[in-house]
Amino acid sequence: MAQKYDDTFLARWLADELSENELKNFQESEDYEQYEHIINTLDSAEYPEIDIDSNFAKTLAKIELEKAKESNKSRSLNPYWLSGIAASLVLVFSYLLFFQNITYTTQLAEQLDFNLPDNSKVTLNADSKVSHKRFGWKDNRVVDLTGEAYFKVEKGQKFEVKTAQGIVSVLGTQFTVNSRENFFNVICYEGKVKVEVPNQKEVILTKGKALSFKNSKTLAYTLESEKPSWLNKQSSFYNAPIIEVINELERQFNIMIEGKANVKPGNFTGRFSHDNLETALKTIFVSMNIPFSFEDNKVKIQKY
């Protein structure tokens, strides 16, 4: 039997891009059950350790066995048809392995707005990354975050933001999560969020409440802002470690600051604008009595 569905058609089917008429005709075809079986088999595989040859052989064996059991409805698997299924199987493996996640990233001094499959809205701050599964979003609203993002979540099933430092879960709300190395901060702007951090008590945040974790220390605080200041090209901080503030300077202005090892421990409360580097440097370093030089767009922190 000639292969009726080429690789482009199958890729569109996997991406849920077929028209209603195309999908109906495909589902009514004699091949649909076999392709559906292949997808179900691959979808349960452990992808990081996947053995393509083994799974390919097992899948074909299952198809052949089911065909034998339903001989009254089956047709023989001739070599031509098998080669068509084999080619399609390779396509499906490639699609699931390389495109099963959707990832959004930002560079230094960049922000990005995008919508998730349920129309929840995300704004990604500089030098950050969000990823989620391409399939099964309706029943598994989970995103992985590295860096900082602002979420406006549509109501529905539980929504989780997983980071290296902890998990934030909600039903429908607006909040930010900032997960950097040894630093974790969550701010709730609307509704409620649950924050779970290893070796810490579970915390529920309501509107205007925030929580920071730094080196196993917890800081709870309150704010009146209705959305993150960085959406308006400003970075604000409450009792934040000064080194985190300097790191944010680097991210927002796409610069490298020399001499960070000279910085003495301290905390900073305030904000800086993303519009002018020199003004931002003075706002932070002068208020914290940190000597620095700024020449030819290069910043260096002096010993003190």
Side-chain angles (χ1 to χ4, degrees):
M1 170 188 129
Q3 186 181 5
K4 296 169 59 177
Y5 303 102
D6 61 18
D7 291 350
T8 300
F9 180 91
L10 294 173
R12 290 174 55 226
W13 170 51
L14 289 169
D16 197 23
E17 294 176 352
L18 295 181
S19 67
E20 290 185 11
N21 189 50
E22 286 177 316
L23 180 58
K24 180 182 178 183
N25 290 337
F26 184 36
Q27 290 174 334
E28 292 175 351
S29 72
E30 57 185 1
D31 292 334
Y32 179 77
E33 183 179 346
Q34 302 300 334
Y35 286 113
E36 184 76 6
H37 177 79
I38 290 171
I39 294 299
N40 291 336
T41 300
L42 299 183
D43 202 33
S44 62
E46 294 293 332
Y47 295 111
E49 300 176 359
I50 195 166
D51 184 336
I52 292 180
D53 291 335
S54 175
N55 277 280
F56 172 77
K58 289 178 181 178
T59 300
L60 289 184
K62 287 182 179 180
I63 293 173
E64 200 164 3
L65 179 60
E66 290 181 3
K67 284 288 184 179
K69 289 180 179 179
E70 300 181 6
S71 57
N72 60 321
K73 299 192 243 180
S74 67
R75 50 188 161 81
S76 60
L77 298 177
N78 62 60
Y80 192 90
W81 188 84
L82 277 178
S83 66
I85 285 291
S88 300
L89 187 56
V90 171
L91 168 71
V92 173
F93 265 118
S94 299
Y95 193 89
L96 292 178
L97 282 170
F98 296 104
F99 300 104
Q100 62 172 321
N101 286 340
I102 297 177
T103 301
Y104 301 88
T105 60
T106 52
Q107 304 302 314
L108 296 170
E110 180 186 24
Q111 292 182 9
L112 176 66
D113 295 312
F114 59 92
N115 287 359
L116 295 170
D118 62 349
N119 209 37
S120 292
K121 295 175 174 55
V122 182
T123 300
L124 204 55
N125 204 354
D127 191 24
S128 301
K129 179 173 73 172
V130 159
S131 64
H132 66 84
K133 297 291 185 183
R134 182 181 296 272
F135 305 108
W137 174 261
K138 182 178 179 180
D139 299 316
N140 188 32
R141 299 200 300 171
V142 178
V143 301
D144 293 298
L145 168 68
T146 301
E148 185 172 18
Y150 172 52
F151 297 89
K152 295 178 71 174
V153 178
E154 291 291 316
K155 295 186 182 299
Q157 298 292 327
K158 184 171 72 172
F159 183 102
E160 286 189 345
V161 179
K162 291 186 176 181
T163 76
Q165 279 73 38
I167 299 174
V168 179
S169 56
V170 301
L171 292 178
T173 186
Q174 299 179 29
F175 62 100
T176 57
V177 181
N178 188 359
S179 177
R180 307 284 184 183
E181 186 177 2
N182 299 320
F183 180 74
F184 188 50
N185 187 75
V186 181
I187 302 174
C188 180
Y189 294 96
E190 183 179 290
K192 293 181 180 180
V193 301
K194 180 172 69 175
V195 183
E196 300 173 84
V197 175
N199 303 318
Q200 299 283 344
K201 289 185 178 180
E202 177 183 298
V203 178
I204 302 295
L205 298 179
T206 55
K207 181 178 180 179
K209 303 298 182 181
L211 202 63
S212 284
F213 299 90
K214 173 68 176 178
N215 295 328
S216 300
K217 295 183 179 180
T218 303
L219 172 66
Y221 60 99
T222 302
L223 70 165
E224 297 181 356
S225 303
E226 296 186 356
K227 60 183 180 179
S229 62
W230 50 265
L231 294 180
N232 295 321
K233 304 300 182 182
Q234 291 187 333
S235 293
S236 60
F237 307 88
Y238 178 80
N239 207 26
I242 184 59
I243 196 64
E244 296 300 330
V245 180
I246 295 173
N247 289 339
E248 190 64 19
L249 264 174
E250 292 182 315
R251 282 190 284 267
Q252 296 300 339
F253 287 97
N254 192 12
I255 59 172
M256 294 292 292
I257 297 178
E258 297 182 34
K260 289 196 291 185
N262 296 326
V263 176
K264 297 178 182 179
N267 293 323
F268 175 83
T269 297
R271 63 179 61 198
F272 67 80
S273 172
H274 303 170
D275 295 332
N276 185 286
L277 175 57
E278 185 173 8
T279 299
L281 292 170
K282 291 179 179 178
T283 298
I284 296 168
F285 292 144
V286 172
S287 65
M288 295 294 292
N289 295 316
I290 300 174
F292 73 101
S293 61
F294 179 49
E295 297 179 3
D296 299 326
N297 217 38
K298 294 182 179 180
V299 182
K300 184 174 182 179
I301 298 173
Q302 312 294 336
K303 290 184 178 180
Y304 61 102

